[in-house]
Amino acid sequence: MNRYSIQSAFLGFAAVGLLWLAGARPANAQFTQNRETIQINQSDLPPEIHQAYRTFKAKCGMCHTLDTSLKPSLSAAQWTAVVKQMQAMASSHFNSREADQIAKFLAYDEIHRKAAAREAIGATSGSSPVAAGKQLFESYGCSSCHSVAGAGNTASALDGIGSKRTVEELKKLIVSPPSGSTMPPMDVPAKDLDTLVTYLLTLK
Ligand code: HEC
Ligand code: HEC
């Protein structure tokens, strides 16, 4: 089986990745690996999610690290679409029942582990909204597609965005990008959106 690694220059996941995956993709694409940094203990999960987690672990770590799948922050519908795309790849081996299980785990992880992590960031935002916004930028997976000061995906740098866009424009660009945009609408609730935009506005 081919060993893939994710190329840092490759622009993003979800919409961008999906379009690209759906199109002509070189069979032996080379990707640089993410490091495995996200730890999940099955014992922290409720019993009804154990099987879904095990399926995810067995099937989604075959071509890239599990971090690649755990880092992006997507809605349940977007996760279902990503899992379908991964399933469609020639060298992936899981059936539709397993795909449902995996999507179930990813949706669960999104509203529990990831939500709790953001809650913790939000708790500190009172004292330093800019620092909290910077952490949310990582937490929502913005840096898989965007860079700031050279950190993140340099294919789309957001340096200087604070001089180009107003608060309202930024909010709209994040949660409902213009039609035809390759950026997926990001599922960011109002409170986090305020903090995120406070950070983006400092990028002058
Ligand atoms: C057959 C190999 C293969 C399997 C199995 C696989 N993937 Fe992937 N995955 C890829 C390749 C190749 C890419 C790079 C293309 C891209 O970024 O869209 C990728 C990219 C991704 C990305 C985008 C990462 C980024 O930052 O650009 C996500 C998210 C993802 N996979 C999730 C999953 C999930 C969830 C599963 C389990 C259902 C899975 N993958 C199983 C091959 C695989
Ligand atoms: C899947 C990749 C992807 C993700 C994830 C992503 N973006 Fe984007 N974003 C893009 C692309 C590509 C563009 C520019 C062109 C376009 O709209 O197609 C863009 C445009 C933008 C713009 C407008 C830039 C300008 O010059 O007007 C802002 C602001 C932005 N993104 C912020 C964010 C934030 C904040 C997040 C995380 C909550 C995020 N993006 C997540 C791909 C992504």
Side-chain angles (χ1 to χ4, degrees), residues 35-110:
R35 273 181 307 134
E36 204 88 61
T37 53
I38 301 169
Q39 301 299 329
I40 292 182
N41 294 322
Q42 186 177 298
S43 55
D44 296 340
L45 301 169
E48 67 271 22
I49 295 296
H50 286 184
Q51 184 56 47
Y53 172 62
R54 280 198 298 272
T55 308
F56 161 74
K57 218 171 142 184
K59 304 295 179 184
C60 299
M62 292 175 77
C63 307
H64 45 67
T65 64
L66 290 176
D67 273 20
T68 298
S69 316
L70 291 170
K71 275 207 175 123
S73 192
L74 300 174
S75 68
Q78 288 168 328
W79 273 126
T80 300
V82 167
V83 172
K84 278 218 175 82
Q85 291 297 325
M86 295 296 141
Q87 188 185 8
M89 300 182 88
S91 45
S92 87
H93 300 283
F94 52 97
N95 60 33
S96 299
R97 198 185 49 81
E98 289 165 325
D100 288 348
Q101 288 277 307
I102 293 166
K104 178 179 163 185
F105 165 73
L106 289 165
Y108 175 90
D109 186 54
E110 195 71 47

Side-chain angles (χ1 to χ4, degrees), residues 85-168:
Q85 291 297 325
M86 295 296 141
Q87 188 185 8
M89 300 182 88
S91 45
S92 87
H93 300 283
F94 52 97
N95 60 33
S96 299
R97 198 185 49 81
E98 289 165 325
D100 288 348
Q101 288 277 307
I102 293 166
K104 178 179 163 185
F105 165 73
L106 289 165
Y108 175 90
D109 186 54
E110 195 71 47
I111 59 171
H112 290 87
R113 185 185 59 87
K114 288 181 197 163
R118 274 175 218 130
E119 196 65 35
I121 294 170
T124 64
S125 69
S127 49
S128 175
V130 174
K134 194 173 177 182
Q135 283 177 271
L136 289 175
F137 190 78
E138 288 302 317
S139 173
Y140 278 104
C142 311
S143 59
S144 338
C145 298
H146 295 290
S147 65
V148 172
N153 187 338
T154 51
S156 175
L158 289 182
D159 303 283
I161 192 73
S163 317
K164 283 192 280 182
R165 303 286 187 185
T166 65
V167 173
E168 289 313 314

